[in-house]
Amino acid sequence: MKKYTGSNFVFLVGAPRSGTTWLQYLLASHPEIQSGRESYVFSKICLVHQEWHKTRKSGMGMASYQTAEEFMSNLFDFEERQLDALTKNLKPGQILLEKTPAHALYVPQIAWFLPEARFIHIMRDGRDVVASLMAAGNSWGEDWAPTSARRAARIWKRHVQAVDDAKTKLKPHQFLEVRYEALLEDTARELRRCIDFIGLPWPEEALRQAVAANTSEQMRAGNGKALTVSGELAKSTAKALPDGFVRKAKSGAWREDLSLAQRFQVWRVARKTLGKFGYAWPLFFL
Amino acid sequence: MHKHTGSNIVCLVGAPRSGTTWLQYLLAAHPDIKSGRESYVFMKLCELKEDWLALKKNGIGMACYQTDAEFFEILDDFKNRQLDALTKGVGTGQIFLEKTPSHALAIPQIAALLPEARFIHILRDGRDVVASMLAAKKGWGEEWAPKNARRAAKIWERHIHAVESAKSGLKPGQFYELRYEALLEDTAAELRKCIDFLGMQWSEEALRKAVEANTSDKMRKTTQLAVSGEVAKTDAANAAMPDGFVRKAKAGSWRQDLSMSQRFQIWRVARKTLGDCGYAWPYFFL
């Protein structure tokens, strides 16, 4: 894109309910990192782009009325103006941290639009993700979250698989993966890794403060880092995080949360993927 | 960039395999009606808008960064440039006939984007539509056509319901419906009614010529509509109609085409909708 290379963009992605919000709050505590709510700024536009090429293959679609250059110029202008809105308050030298979990599905396309963009992927044990997705599906997230273990496992698998496919095509300095379990175990250490990857200095003292200010208790009480909302929703007074959004903040809680039948469903769908990423699970009843 | 209101755009919609292409060819024979291949242009435009609004409702999305007015201006510019490409060769007083069957599913959204757009819906006996979709599956339409009668019947029903519920929201003069069976029985008379709906002149002589030039026998040997843009770079100027695209061009041949179990599947799914549309079918074995 003419105006944006993405050098000051960091996309935080992952399967939903993998701790993306927590890591976002931690990072956004840095004075030079700006972050807001999930923008989905690339998800639909990537589908528009895909559809153009897909229909073109069949000799149809807008490709039978306009050249690729004409389409791309229009699409880029649209996306550039959306990015203008997204980065309105961003000052030179600052980083925009964009956290939309679903962007995990569009990493190659985003990197194509913004060749210098960087990505942080937070990976979490799929079994815990399933338990959390289902808890959301039965409460605050009923709009979007699944209530069946099989579907939840598929969502997790689709996201981590998409990122895994995409990361080999990115330059090494463009991609960092963080484990939720490691972030839980030593938050300060993993946060430091992220900040080093982004390339910003942060005194140890300030980093520790950020960790202390964004514990699960603090976030549950609504005291975590406040994200700025401008635009149309600035007028809304809704809470940043719905009740139940910050759940147990534990790893391995799936053992209490999932019934044997649900475990079996997750195992059937995702055991191979789980194994590939170090969450080996040979027998579902263990 | 032109500000499109849709006054020169007519959307020809219907369930796939309902004769949309035939009617398109008939109408496009009029010197002041321009037409081209299926553009799918409105599907994604509508989705961009719907997606933005749906996310906003959940307190997320680009509405956290821009106002309604800002977004709609950006979307409008994108839309207008896409429609500029679509209607490139359309002169003053002429209309562009856009035929993408699945636009049937998005009529209210299209009307919101283009308040003056008009719609022609071609309705065909769902049993013949199912038979035709299943035939397409075995040949040229393998990629998109459904694999069994139950699914095919559901596709038909979904399109019919979508149009039916959209009708009431349109202004008089914005919507016209015709039957495939009537078009088959007296093509010239039905074509005349369409032309009258569009408010255009056409001499009886020229209209008859259009009917004769687009009989099923001639359509089987005809070429696809001309393209410009990207597809023109690779496709032969006169790509042939896929083999089997123009099929029997008959009404009621489902009686020969469908097995008893297929009939039963359709009857179960769609007998009520068929009845509502005047294709009463009390017993599937009749």
Side-chain angles (χ1 to χ4, degrees):
Chain A
M1 253 183 270
K2 280 168 280 165
K3 194 162 156 193
Y4 293 96
T5 63
S7 58
N8 54 350
F9 283 78
V10 175
F11 290 90
L12 177 53
V13 301
R17 312 301 300 156
S18 296
T20 48
T21 305
W22 183 30
L23 184 53
Q24 178 191 26
Y25 276 48
L26 288 167
L27 286 167
S29 303
H30 190 289
E32 299 303 320
I33 297 180
Q34 287 204 13
S35 197
R37 294 197 193 161
E38 303 181 2
S39 75
Y40 285 80
V41 70
F42 274 103
S43 54
K44 212 60 190 185
I45 210 74
C46 286
L47 291 176
V48 173
H49 184 232
Q50 275 173 18
E51 154 114 347
W52 195 91
H53 287 282
K54 205 182 112 202
T55 49
R56 183 215 156 148
K57 273 195 195 137
S58 322
M60 303 188 299
M62 282 305 291
S64 54
Y65 300 90
Q66 64 190 165
T67 62
E69 291 73 36
E70 284 166 343
F71 171 65
M72 288 317 298
S73 143
N74 195 10
L75 192 70
F76 276 4
D77 285 351
F78 175 91
E79 193 61 10
E80 252 178 38
R81 290 168 72 184
Q82 291 296 82
L83 295 179
D84 284 349
L86 195 66
T87 58
K88 206 164 29 197
N89 302 315
L90 198 68
K91 296 182 193 74
Q94 293 190 328
I95 294 290
L96 181 88
L97 179 74
E98 203 299 319
K99 188 276 281 187
T100 300
H103 280 158
L105 305 172
Y106 307 102
V107 171
Q109 287 102 316
I110 296 173
W112 183 78
F113 276 108
L114 298 173
E116 300 294 324
R118 286 172 290 171
F119 299 86
I120 297 178
H121 176 225
I122 181 161
M123 160 85 89
R124 184 185 185 184
D125 186 330
R127 295 163 293 191
D128 281 324
V129 171
V130 167
S132 187
L133 277 169
M134 290 174 64
N138 289 312
S139 59
W140 65 273
E142 61 175 3
D143 269 2
W144 64 271
T147 48
S148 99
R150 196 171 57 93
R151 285 207 189 164
R154 285 198 177 152
I155 291 176
W156 176 79
K157 187 175 159 183
R158 191 154 53 95
H159 282 75
V160 298
Q161 201 59 61
V163 173
D164 197 52
D165 293 343
K167 70 183 176 198
T168 54
K169 290 164 207 137
L170 297 171
K171 288 167 252 152
H173 76 274
Q174 273 189 297
F175 183 82
L176 179 75
E177 193 158 83
V178 178
R179 297 283 172 142
Y180 176 80
E181 293 78 16
L183 190 63
L184 208 55
E185 196 185 282
D186 191 341
T187 313
R189 182 193 68 210
E190 292 302 309
L191 185 55
R192 175 62 69 194
R193 266 182 77 216
C194 292
I195 283 293
D196 288 349
F197 166 76
I198 295 173
L200 289 170
W202 208 2
E204 202 53 33
E205 171 70 19
L207 186 147
R208 299 233 159 245
Q209 271 173 17
V211 173
N214 294 287
T215 58
S216 53
E217 291 83 10
Q218 293 289 357
M219 282 180 65
R220 218 173 276 129
N223 296 331
K225 165 76 188 175
L227 305 181
T228 332
V229 177
S230 55
E232 199 67 24
L233 285 169
K235 303 157 195 164
S236 129
T237 51
K239 275 202 277 184
L241 301 179
D243 285 339
F245 186 95
V246 179
R247 229 170 50 101
K248 300 186 178 176
K250 274 195 197 167
S251 79
W254 60 271
R255 291 182 184 278
E256 298 129 50
D257 294 341
L258 299 180
S259 71
L260 212 44
Q262 289 167 335
R263 288 185 199 196
F264 179 63
Q265 288 175 39
V266 179
W267 184 82
R268 266 187 41 164
V269 170
R271 68 179 177 282
K272 225 177 131 241
T273 315
L274 281 164
K276 183 174 173 187
F277 297 114
Y279 305 103
W281 194 23
L283 303 164
F284 72 92
F285 42 83
L286 290 186
Chain B
M1 188 168 49
H2 183 71
K3 239 187 133 18
H4 291 269
T5 60
S7 56
N8 61 347
I9 294 178
V10 176
C11 298
L12 176 52
V13 301
R17 309 304 298 157
S18 295
T20 48
T21 306
W22 182 30
L23 183 56
Q24 179 190 27
Y25 273 64
L26 288 167
L27 287 167
H30 189 289
D32 287 328
I33 300 180
K34 306 290 169 201
S35 199
R37 296 196 194 160
E38 302 180 5
S39 76
Y40 289 85
V41 67
F42 298 119
M43 289 318 264
K44 291 292 153 187
L45 279 173
C46 294
E47 279 173 31
L48 277 172
K49 184 175 154 189
E50 300 286 304
D51 186 55
W52 195 92
L53 293 171
L55 291 169
K56 176 181 147 185
K57 226 174 116 202
N58 285 325
I60 52 176
M62 283 302 290
C64 301
Y65 304 88
Q66 62 193 167
T67 62
D68 286 4
E70 282 165 346
F71 173 67
F72 288 126
E73 191 192 318
I74 297 172
L75 182 69
D76 253 1
D77 287 348
F78 180 70
K79 171 192 93 176
N80 285 325
R81 280 170 69 181
Q82 287 304 88
L83 296 183
D84 277 352
L86 189 72
T87 58
K88 208 157 30 197
V90 181
T92 320
Q94 298 188 326
I95 62 167
F96 185 80
L97 181 71
E98 204 297 323
K99 189 274 283 184
T100 300
S102 54
H103 281 155
L105 305 172
I107 292 175
Q109 292 88 332
I110 297 172
L113 278 179
L114 294 171
E116 295 182 52
R118 286 173 290 174
F119 300 87
I120 296 179
H121 177 226
I122 180 160
L123 175 57
R124 183 184 186 186
D125 186 332
R127 295 162 294 190
D128 282 325
V129 170
V130 169
S132 187
M133 283 192 204
L134 294 177
K137 183 71 185 172
K138 290 187 189 138
W140 64 276
E142 201 206 329
E143 264 184 51
W144 66 267
K147 59 178 182 200
N148 60 44
R150 194 173 61 89
R151 286 202 191 177
K154 283 193 174 163
I155 292 176
W156 177 80
E157 193 179 37
R158 192 152 53 93
H159 282 75
I160 304 306
H161 281 171
V163 175
E164 193 54 39
S165 63
K167 268 189 214 177
S168 56
L170 296 172
K171 288 171 277 184
Q174 243 192 323
F175 181 84
Y176 181 72
E177 188 167 81
L178 75 158
R179 301 279 173 148
Y180 175 80
E181 294 78 17
L183 188 65
L184 208 55
E185 201 182 285
D186 191 344
T187 312
E190 291 300 314
L191 185 55
R192 172 64 66 197
K193 286 192 224 159
C194 290
I195 288 290
D196 288 347
F197 164 73
L198 296 174
M200 306 188 90
Q201 310 294 320
W202 210 359
S203 72
E204 202 53 34
E205 163 85 15
L207 186 146
R208 296 231 162 252
K209 270 194 194 149
V211 172
E212 276 156 33
N214 293 290
T215 61
S216 54
D217 291 334
K218 297 221 169 94
M219 293 265 304
R220 258 178 224 116
K221 285 172 239 141
T222 193
T223 57
Q224 294 186 43
L225 295 173
V227 290
S228 56
E230 198 65 22
V231 173
K233 294 181 185 171
T234 49
D235 273 32
N238 297 313
M241 204 64 111
D243 271 345
F245 186 91
V246 179
R247 229 168 52 99
K248 300 185 177 175
K250 272 195 197 166
S253 62
W254 61 271
R255 291 181 184 280
Q256 295 122 49
D257 294 342
L258 298 176
S259 70
M260 209 50 109
S261 80
Q262 287 171 330
R263 288 187 198 197
F264 179 63
Q265 287 175 45
I266 303 168
W267 184 82
R268 266 186 40 163
V269 169
R271 69 177 176 282
K272 195 167 169 296
T273 311
L274 281 164
D276 292 345
C277 296
Y279 304 104
W281 195 22
Y283 303 102
F284 70 91
F285 42 81
L286 290 186

